[in-house]
């Protein structure tokens, strides 16, 4: 009966619910091919770390209570997620701020402290550098000297992640936007909870960390998927490009449309929801208002990506009864490919003016020819 009461307490139930919630969000991202960007992949790794923590704590609670297994053994599994979660969250924030990051050796340095932490924890019985005394009740835990090294590194990465997310969100949407508020609230929950628990300011259990991080992931997920937190273009800039007379779209490395302006939507008579994250070549094959040669476009896009030069050509889109000068350029940042810009410059009036001039010239030539014949 005592065991049943322990598993029916609010904290344990909240942990199980939050674990299922994180798992559902993770499955949504993994099975949604439209969200296949680098940011979403790194965000998925972050959620996997939280699942490891949550599942480990659930197993720790069950097996240590029913079978009286030393809970420290489960802590060694839990810390696989605990050590690497701040690293993946930090990488997510960097990729988010820069749209994409080009991984190199310097990023491997971020994993040095987490790996050392795991080794120290796994060998804790030999030196007690991580825990001098372990308990599922944090107020009874006696930490070793290395624990504070690990904690300082973890909080530093979490702080950097928060700053990176906030800086980009505020720059794009403003401080009081829904995205920024969600990021602030989500980031503060685990930081405040862990600080209060670590310094015994409040009474906490092992359930606190996975539950607080699950709340963070929930807020981040809402910001990302509900409010388009991953949008690349700042709002002020978006308003400017929407007033451009030239239409444009941006596609990523998978040929999915990630950005466009209002002019493009008006030209092809479509809505933003109809084309965002849609495969560009599927769009031109299915749209009646965008009759373009798929093979010609693919060759031009490939050439632009390989040479980093702007490829341009004129095209008469008969379905729109307009002429366009299409310019294709590769978008890079510090030698990292971000996407391809396809610009549609409407030159219909220019072509019509040229045709008018040509017709008048032909008429003048014909009149002169007839006049010459008359003189003869």
């Amino acid at each position: 009966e005592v065991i049943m009461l322990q598993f029916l307490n609010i904290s344990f139930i909240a942990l199980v619910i939050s674990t299922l919630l994180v798992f559902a969000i993770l499955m949504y991202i993994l099975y949604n091919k439209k969200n296949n960007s680098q940011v979403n992949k790194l965000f998925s790794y972050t959620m996997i770390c939280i699942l490891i923590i949550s599942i480990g704590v659930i197993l720790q609670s069950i097996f240590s209570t029913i079978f009286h297994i030393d809970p420290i053994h489960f802590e060694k599994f839990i810390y696989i997620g605990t050590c690497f979660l701040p690293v993946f969250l930090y990488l997510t924030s960097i990729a988010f701020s820069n749209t994409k990051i080009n991984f190199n050796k310097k990023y491997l340095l971020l994993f040095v402290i987490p790996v050392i932490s795991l080794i120290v924890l796994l060998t804790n019985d030999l030196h007690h550098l991580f825990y001098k005394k372990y308990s599922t009740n944090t107020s009874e835990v006696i930490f070793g000297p290395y624990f504070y090294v690990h904690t300082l590194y973890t909080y530093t990465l979490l702080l950097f992640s928060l700053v990176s997310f906030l800086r980009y969100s505020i720059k794009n949407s403003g401080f009081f936007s829904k995205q920024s508020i969600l990021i602030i609230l989500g980031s503060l929950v685990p930081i405040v909870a862990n600080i209060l628990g670590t310094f015994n300011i409040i009474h906490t259990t092992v359930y606190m960390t996975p539950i607080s991080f699950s709340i963070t992931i929930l807020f981040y997920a809402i910001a990302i998927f509900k409010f388009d937190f991953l949008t690349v273009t700042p709002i002020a800039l978006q308003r400017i490009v929407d007033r451009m007379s030239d239409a444009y779209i941006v596609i990523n490395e998978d040929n999915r449309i990630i950005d466009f302006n209002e002019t493009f939507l008006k030209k092809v008579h479509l809505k933003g929801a109809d084309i965002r994250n849609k495969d560009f070549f599927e769009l031109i094959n299915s749209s009646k208002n965008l009759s373009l040669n798929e093979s010609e476009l693919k060759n031009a896009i490939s050439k632009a990506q390989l040479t980093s030069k702007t490829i341009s050509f004129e095209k008469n889109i008969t379905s729109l009864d307009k002429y366009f000068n299409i310019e294709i350029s590769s978008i890079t940042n510090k030698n990292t490919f971000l996407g391809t810009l396809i610009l549609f410059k409407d030159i219909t009036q220019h072509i019509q003016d040229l045709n008018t001039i040509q017709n008048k010239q032909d008429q003048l030539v014909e009149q002169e020819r007839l006049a010459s014949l008359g003189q003869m």
Side-chain angles (χ1 to χ4, degrees):
E1 186 177 345
V2 174
I3 294 174
M4 286 298 297
L5 287 174
Q6 180 169 342
F7 293 137
L8 290 176
N9 67 58
I10 296 175
S11 297
F12 185 82
I13 294 173
L15 175 60
V16 173
I17 293 173
S18 64
T19 303
L20 293 174
L21 181 63
V22 172
F23 180 77
I25 297 173
L26 177 61
M27 290 299 101
Y28 171 80
I29 294 177
L30 293 179
Y31 285 98
N32 190 346
K33 294 181 179 180
K34 294 182 179 180
N35 296 319
N36 198 30
S37 66
Q38 187 184 67
V39 176
N40 287 312
K41 289 178 181 177
L42 289 170
F43 189 65
S44 299
Y45 297 149
T46 305
M47 288 193 292
I48 289 172
C49 289
I50 292 182
L51 280 178
I52 291 173
I53 298 171
S54 299
I55 293 171
V57 172
I58 291 173
L59 294 176
Q60 182 187 59
S61 179
I62 294 173
F63 282 89
S64 63
T65 303
I66 298 177
F67 301 104
H68 305 290
I69 298 175
D70 192 345
I72 189 67
H73 298 310
F74 295 94
E75 189 74 359
K76 296 172 182 178
F77 171 76
I78 292 168
Y79 258 81
I80 295 174
T82 304
C83 289
F84 293 111
L85 185 149
V87 177
F88 285 120
L89 187 62
Y90 176 67
L91 289 174
T92 302
S93 69
I94 296 300
F96 171 73
S97 300
N98 296 278
T99 305
K100 185 179 179 182
I101 55 178
N102 188 19
F103 283 104
N104 50 46
K105 292 180 180 179
K106 70 178 182 180
Y107 290 107
L108 293 177
L109 296 175
L110 294 171
F111 293 90
V112 172
I113 296 296
V115 170
I116 294 175
S117 298
L118 277 177
I119 294 173
V120 173
L121 180 60
L122 292 172
T123 58
N124 188 69
D125 294 338
L126 301 176
H127 44 69
H128 298 286
L129 291 174
F130 209 98
Y131 289 121
K132 291 182 178 179
K133 178 187 175 183
Y134 178 76
S135 173
T136 54
N137 189 341
T138 54
S139 61
E140 299 175 0
V141 177
I142 301 176
F143 300 108
Y146 181 80
F147 175 84
Y148 296 101
V149 176
H150 162 77
T151 302
L152 178 62
Y153 182 75
T154 297
Y155 287 153
T156 300
L157 282 186
L158 290 176
L159 180 61
F160 284 168
S161 302
L162 172 60
V163 170
S164 182
F165 276 126
L166 273 180
R167 184 173 60 184
Y168 190 83
S169 178
I170 292 171
K171 178 182 176 182
N172 279 6
S173 308
F175 184 82
F176 295 103
S177 67
K178 294 178 181 178
Q179 295 94 332
S180 299
I181 293 172
L182 284 168
I183 292 302
I184 293 172
L185 294 176
S187 300
L188 288 178
V189 169
I191 293 175
V192 173
N194 279 276
I195 289 176
L196 294 178
T198 299
F199 294 99
N200 294 322
I201 299 174
I202 61 172
H203 175 74
T204 59
T205 65
V206 291
Y207 299 143
M208 179 61 71
T209 298
I211 292 175
S212 60
F213 273 113
S214 297
I215 295 173
T216 299
I217 290 300
L218 175 61
F219 284 156
Y220 279 20
I222 294 173
I224 289 172
F225 302 113
K226 177 66 175 178
F227 297 114
D228 287 332
F229 187 48
L230 297 182
T231 184
V232 176
T233 310
I235 290 177
L237 179 58
Q238 187 65 52
R239 289 176 179 172
I240 294 172
V241 297
D242 282 342
R243 293 178 179 272
M244 289 172 52
S245 59
D246 296 330
Y248 81 85
I249 60 170
V250 179
I251 60 175
N252 63 11
E253 56 189 357
D254 298 321
N255 297 319
R256 293 196 173 275
I257 301 171
I258 57 175
D259 197 20
F260 46 84
N261 64 350
E262 189 68 24
T263 308
F264 178 81
L265 297 178
K266 291 179 179 178
K267 295 285 186 185
V268 297
H269 308 294
L270 290 171
K271 296 180 180 179
D274 297 330
I275 68 171
R276 186 176 294 280
N277 289 321
K278 188 170 183 179
D279 186 280
F280 175 60
F281 295 108
E282 288 183 4
L283 175 67
I284 63 175
N285 288 326
S286 60
S287 175
K288 297 179 180 179
N289 298 317
L290 200 61
S291 53
L292 294 168
N293 188 294
E294 180 178 345
S295 177
E296 184 180 8
L297 273 175
K298 284 184 176 180
N299 291 334
I301 291 172
S302 299
K303 190 174 180 181
Q305 292 175 357
L306 292 173
T307 62
S308 297
K309 295 180 179 179
T310 300
I311 308 300
S312 61
F313 55 92
E314 293 183 4
K315 191 70 177 177
N316 177 20
I317 301 182
T318 54
S319 55
L320 298 175
D321 192 25
K322 289 183 179 295
Y323 289 86
F324 291 94
N325 182 44
I326 301 176
E327 295 183 358
I328 301 176
S329 306
S330 178
I331 306 172
T332 58
N333 180 28
K334 298 178 181 179
N335 297 322
T336 300
F337 175 76
L338 302 179
T340 303
L341 171 67
I342 304 176
L343 185 66
F344 297 83
K345 292 186 175 181
D346 191 342
I347 57 172
T348 305
Q349 188 61 48
H350 176 66
I351 295 295
Q352 289 175 350
D353 291 341
L354 287 178
N355 289 335
T356 301
I357 293 172
Q358 184 63 45
N359 290 334
K360 288 183 177 180
Q361 287 179 341
D362 291 342
Q363 290 175 5
L364 288 173
V365 171
E366 182 64 17
Q367 287 174 0
E368 289 178 359
R369 188 181 69 84
L370 292 175
S372 299
L373 286 174
Q375 291 176 359
M376 292 175 64

